Amino acid sequence: MTRLPLVALALALLAGCAYPYSPPSLPPVSSTSPAASVASAAAPAEARAPVTILVSIDGFRADYLTRGLSPHLSHLATEGVTAAMRPSFPSKTFPNHWTLVTGVVPDRHGIVANSFTDPAHPGERFTMASDQPYWWDEAEPVWVTAERAGIPTATMLWPGSNVAWGGTLQPRGHHAVTGGVRPHDWLQFNANISDRQRVDTVIDWLRRPGPTRPRFLTLYFDEVDIAGHDGGPDSAEVNAAIAHVDQAIGALVSGLAELGLAANLVIVSDHGMAATSSERVIALDRMVNPADYEMSEDGPFAMIRAVPGHEAALEARLLSHHDHMDCWRRNGIPARFRYGRNPRIAPYFCLADAGWLIDAKPADKPFTGGAHGYDNADPSMTALFIAQGPAFRPGAKLAPFDNVDVAPLLRDLIGLPPGRGLDGTDAPFRRVLRR
Ligand code: AMP
Ligand code: ZN
Ligand code: ZN
């Protein structure tokens, strides 16, 4: 893996290059970088319209905010607007991050799980590493709309932000694409980029002079989710991760203050977290004949196909009553999930009760941890929402709303026209937005 020397990294950031990024082993580019300070000083004050920063803290369950471990987030919540936000179904990372930036439910935007197949692309599988544009092109993310409107955008990680949206990947081109729109600045996902490096890079992007300064940015943190899976939502690991990400939020707020830059912050999570255990595993092989089915996703939900010719045998067992699990044909999933029309969803879909896991076999050794992907109305899946900045009236607690409404809010903040055909609206925010 190549390492960019610090000066090269600083210049690349200033020049606005999109480049594959390996985190430097040296301290990250800091707000005292000499070249950066020159750019900051050169920025004309009149060009400093508020920027919009969408921050995701993956797996930050709404009630984590009440643990007393995140003073910076709590302060922003007090100064701004807060709510308990319902994720979309299924309550997984990629479906929800794509909903947050497109304003449509996973059934319509096509990122129906973290991993799935599509009858239109036989032999291919979508995974979290897929940057093939056709997986993503059923709905347009807000940074593409903004770039097309001449508004510069920059993404410090976000599922889908490394994709040349609407482009075509060359068969043997090693990620070479023709056409497509990306954020002006973006990075290939790399879990080793520290929280502080993520924040410092965003601040450095914002140091640019007015015309080249991004006006919409994303910032993504995954450590709370990782800790939640490892230790479960009530673990010391989660508490440490909450406190650590909160420090990064504090650094973001002070970095913006040092720049004297007004920002509307929209801080969200994609879903919550439920405690799991080897005591709560649903062993599918004990309910249906393993010769009748193939399972392509397991855990909180399962995507299931019948072995050809075994449909009737599978249905007779799978679609009957089970403790702690419901199974449906794809087109029989209850309407409230808004899920089941997209052909990327397997023909049979099983959903476990929160805290239960579907697997072929019982656990072979004891474990505890955390998972998400459950019923999006289950309280354990509730997501974080805090919005703060000049666009928001302070101190409002909103009624719970669906995360499809975030993209319409972002469009308002960025100055884009309302989206057409979206599942969400900005209605939940109208009384707290200053016009
Ligand atoms: P999950 O908990 O299975 O829904 O997946 C969430 C995890 O995906 C996070 O903890 C991240 O570490 C990881 N992740 C986030 N973005 C990406 C990406 N663009 N590529 C690969 N992995 C990612
Ligand atoms: Zn997630
Ligand atoms: Zn997760």
Side-chain angles (χ1 to χ4, degrees):
M1 197 176 280
T2 52
R3 287 210 158 95
L4 287 174
L6 192 58
V7 172
L9 176 60
L11 290 174
L13 291 169
L14 283 165
C17 305
Y19 56 92
Y21 175 42
S22 305
S25 53
L26 293 165
V29 182
S30 78
S31 54
T32 53
S33 148
S37 305
V38 172
S40 176
E46 69 274 17
R48 298 190 157 221
V51 298
T52 302
I53 308 179
L54 174 64
V55 181
S56 164
I57 310 177
D58 197 314
F60 194 111
R61 202 169 71 185
D63 67 306
Y64 289 175
L65 198 57
T66 63
R67 292 189 178 180
L69 300 168
S70 48
H72 295 107
L73 284 168
S74 291
H75 184 67
L76 290 171
T78 313
E79 279 196 333
V81 175
T82 182
M85 184 167 71
R86 262 185 309 270
S88 296
F89 187 78
S91 49
K92 285 276 190 178
T93 297
F94 272 54
N96 276 284
H97 277 87
W98 207 232
T99 289
L100 286 161
V101 294
T102 60
V104 297
V105 293
D107 208 24
R108 287 187 61 213
H109 67 49
I111 305 299
V112 298
N114 284 346
S115 173
F116 55 86
T117 57
D118 187 338
H121 301 285
E124 302 287 319
R125 169 167 283 277
F126 175 90
T127 68
M128 294 198 281
S130 296
D131 60 358
Q132 169 63 267
Y134 65 63
W135 294 114
W136 301 88
D137 64 12
E138 293 180 12
E140 183 175 293
V142 69
W143 57 76
V144 169
T145 320
E147 286 286 336
R148 284 184 172 150
I151 297 170
T153 68
T155 48
M156 174 39 74
L157 309 180
W158 193 274
S161 62
N162 59 336
V163 174
W165 193 86
T168 309
L169 197 66
Q170 298 308 303
R172 281 173 293 281
H174 193 66
H175 298 272
V177 277
T178 46
V181 181
R182 284 188 167 113
H184 185 271
D185 299 274
W186 58 277
L187 303 176
Q188 210 57 264
F189 179 74
N190 182 337
N192 295 323
I193 308 173
S194 72
D195 290 355
R196 193 52 203 253
Q197 285 173 311
R198 296 176 197 203
V199 169
D200 288 347
T201 305
V202 161
I203 293 297
D204 276 322
W205 283 335
L206 290 172
R207 235 178 260 293
R208 292 187 191 139
T212 55
R213 183 185 313 128
R215 280 171 48 204
F216 172 70
L217 302 94
T218 70
L219 173 57
Y220 170 76
F221 300 108
D222 46 359
E223 70 173 302
V224 173
D225 180 71
I226 294 167
H229 286 294
D230 286 352
D234 300 312
S235 62
E237 279 158 275
V238 164
N239 288 346
I242 293 169
H244 194 241
V245 168
D246 189 69
Q247 284 173 11
I249 299 288
L252 174 69
V253 172
S254 8
L256 291 167
E258 270 172 39
L259 288 179
L261 194 61
N264 289 308
L265 300 177
V266 178
I267 304 176
V268 296
S269 65
D270 49 349
H271 50 70
M273 189 66 69
T276 55
S277 152
S278 47
E279 304 288 306
R280 292 191 295 279
V281 175
I282 302 160
L284 215 54
D285 281 359
R286 293 190 173 171
M287 296 164 192
V288 293
N289 184 345
D292 292 338
Y293 81 98
E294 286 163 5
M295 181 158 57
S296 58
E297 271 271 288
D298 57 19
F301 62 80
M303 296 252 206
I304 293 172
R305 290 184 164 70
V307 170
H310 293 231
E311 289 79 4
L314 176 65
E315 288 200 4
R317 300 271 182 105
L318 191 69
L319 304 184
S320 61
H321 171 82
H322 306 286
D323 290 338
H324 309 298
M325 175 178 77
D326 289 305
C327 296
W328 306 281
R329 287 190 202 99
R330 175 173 63 213
N331 60 11
I333 298 173
R336 69 185 182 82
F337 292 115
R338 304 169 86 178
Y339 191 72
R341 281 178 301 175
N342 199 300
R344 296 175 174 184
I345 302 163
Y348 302 98
F349 189 91
C350 295
L351 177 64
D353 289 351
W356 287 76
L357 296 169
I358 304 169
D359 204 345
K361 307 210 178 308
D364 54 8
K365 52 178 185 296
F367 68 82
T368 55
H372 52 87
Y374 299 107
D375 186 338
N376 54 328
D378 191 272
S380 64
M381 295 297 104
T382 309
L384 176 74
F385 178 87
I386 298 170
Q388 187 270 345
F392 297 96
R393 293 181 203 286
K397 177 125 176 77
L398 298 175
F401 63 87
D402 296 319
N403 70 352
V404 288
D405 297 330
V406 169
L409 169 66
L410 296 173
R411 296 179 72 107
D412 290 349
L413 296 174
I414 302 167
L416 294 169
R420 272 182 291 167
L422 302 188
D423 292 320
T425 85
D426 66 0
F429 315 105
R430 282 185 199 143
R431 85 182 162 83
V432 295
L433 279 174
R434 292 186 220 260
R435 300 273 181 179

